[in-house]
Amino acid sequence: MIVVAGEALIDLVPQGTGALAALQPALGGGPYNTAVALGRLGSPAAFCSRVSSDAFGQALLDRLRETGVDVSAVQRGTEPTTLAVATVGADGSAAYSFYVDGTADRLFTAPAALPDGTRAISFGTCSLVLEPGASAYEELMRAAAARGVFTALDPNIRAGLIPDADAYRARFKSWLPAVTLLKLSEEDARWLGGTPQEWLAAGPAAVVVTRGGEGLTAFTADGGTYFVPGERVEVVDTIGAGDTVNAALLHGLAVRDALSRPALAALGPDGWSELLGFAARAAAVTCSRAGAEPPYAHELTG
């Protein structure tokens, strides 16, 4: 079982062009997209969050259930669902503005236990920024790592939500001893500062840096560096691409029974090339269609 902990929200995505383009609601949120992608790839997955009891919240849970994701660890609240307004650039890249005051996911509390059979847990995005929930997710991360659970982190920086950049950067560094696999985009890496080697020295067994269509690079604690190019595709938008990479990496490691530090160290060049190539193909499928629509397993075979 792979648990994904973090926010579920509604993306308002423009349909058409111009300042008055209609906004179409779409189910989203980085961790939520990761959970959906895991379900579509066929990994046993669970979602751990706090979701509104409003109509948006119900739709979010319905999709998880339809995808086969366990929602027994989801807390509910009467507060509204977080909204994110997406702006899609000419190159398909997306930027966001958020409406988060008084929303349900901010009031997440750390559970006493994770679902039975949990092998890995993934964190990231807004849920590690917005208090008081951020401290609860941080508590869960540290507790899981202390019990030997494989932990994955994708900071997925949304700078507009971070009131004190230096404080967040310091907090990010404090998480690294509790992280097994750190994945981040090249843009996130620039914003955070530091290098993969510096982050590895603080705790993770591996760091994966994504560069959009240019590909992915993995850096490992034993000094290894492994690169695969991106898959060429006609990009509709990049919404959910990074979340798909998260899921593909975790799914690929689970299939290889490699959700541990020693197993990561034993992957070697061939293992990393296959894993990163799988993640690149999965992300390309997501980029080829509108919104966060990660691939199903059958779309990545053959």
Side-chain angles (χ1 to χ4, degrees), residues 180 196-197 199-207 218-226 261 264-265 272:
T180 316
Q197 291 71 29
W199 301 324
L200 287 166
V207 174
F219 304 85
T220 58
D222 62 2
T225 301
Y226 309 101
R261 287 178 179 271
L264 273 184
W272 275 109

Side-chain angles (χ1 to χ4, degrees), residues 19-40:
L20 297 179
L23 294 175
Q24 177 69 35
L27 308 177
Y32 180 85
N33 295 336
T34 297
V36 169
L38 281 166
R40 289 188 175 186

Side-chain angles (χ1 to χ4, degrees), residues 3-24:
V3 176
V4 184
E7 79 279 356
L9 52 78
I10 295 296
D11 286 324
L12 298 175
V13 183
Q15 302 295 306
T17 59
L20 297 179
L23 294 175
Q24 177 69 35

Side-chain angles (χ1 to χ4, degrees), residues 96-98 100 106 124-131 134 154-172 175 187-188 191-192:
Y96 299 88
S97 56
F98 293 88
V100 298
R106 295 190 69 165
T125 318
C126 311
S127 53
L128 289 170
V129 175
L130 300 170
E131 295 290 6
D154 175 12
N156 201 8
I157 300 299
R158 301 290 182 242
L161 287 176
I162 300 174
D164 186 333
D166 289 339
Y168 180 88
R169 292 179 180 117
R171 195 172 188 180
F172 164 76
W175 297 328
E187 294 80 9
D188 291 342
W191 190 92
L192 286 164

Side-chain angles (χ1 to χ4, degrees), residues 40-140:
R40 289 188 175 186
L41 291 173
S43 276
F47 192 54
C48 183
S49 184
R50 190 170 189 274
V51 173
S52 176
S53 57
D54 65 14
F56 283 146
Q58 191 58 51
L60 287 160
L61 288 187
D62 286 346
R63 188 187 198 194
L64 289 171
R65 293 189 182 101
E66 291 165 2
T67 313
V69 176
D70 182 347
V71 297
S72 60
V74 174
Q75 304 159 23
R76 304 300 299 275
T78 58
E79 304 82 12
T81 298
T82 295
L83 302 178
V85 178
T87 303
V88 179
D91 62 352
S93 61
Y96 299 88
S97 56
F98 293 88
Y99 296 84
V100 298
D101 289 346
T103 53
D105 54 88
R106 295 190 69 165
L107 300 179
F108 172 81
T109 57
L114 290 171
D116 291 343
T118 296
R119 301 174 62 197
I121 184 167
S122 175
F123 298 89
T125 318
C126 311
S127 53
L128 289 170
V129 175
L130 300 170
E131 295 290 6
S135 291
Y137 284 110
E138 180 178 316
E139 176 188 342
L140 181 58

Side-chain angles (χ1 to χ4, degrees), residues 186-214:
E186 189 174 38
E187 294 80 9
D188 291 342
R190 283 197 296 266
W191 190 92
L192 286 164
T195 67
Q197 291 71 29
E198 291 170 353
W199 301 324
L200 287 166
V207 174
V208 174
V209 179
T210 64
R211 296 180 171 85
E214 299 305 311

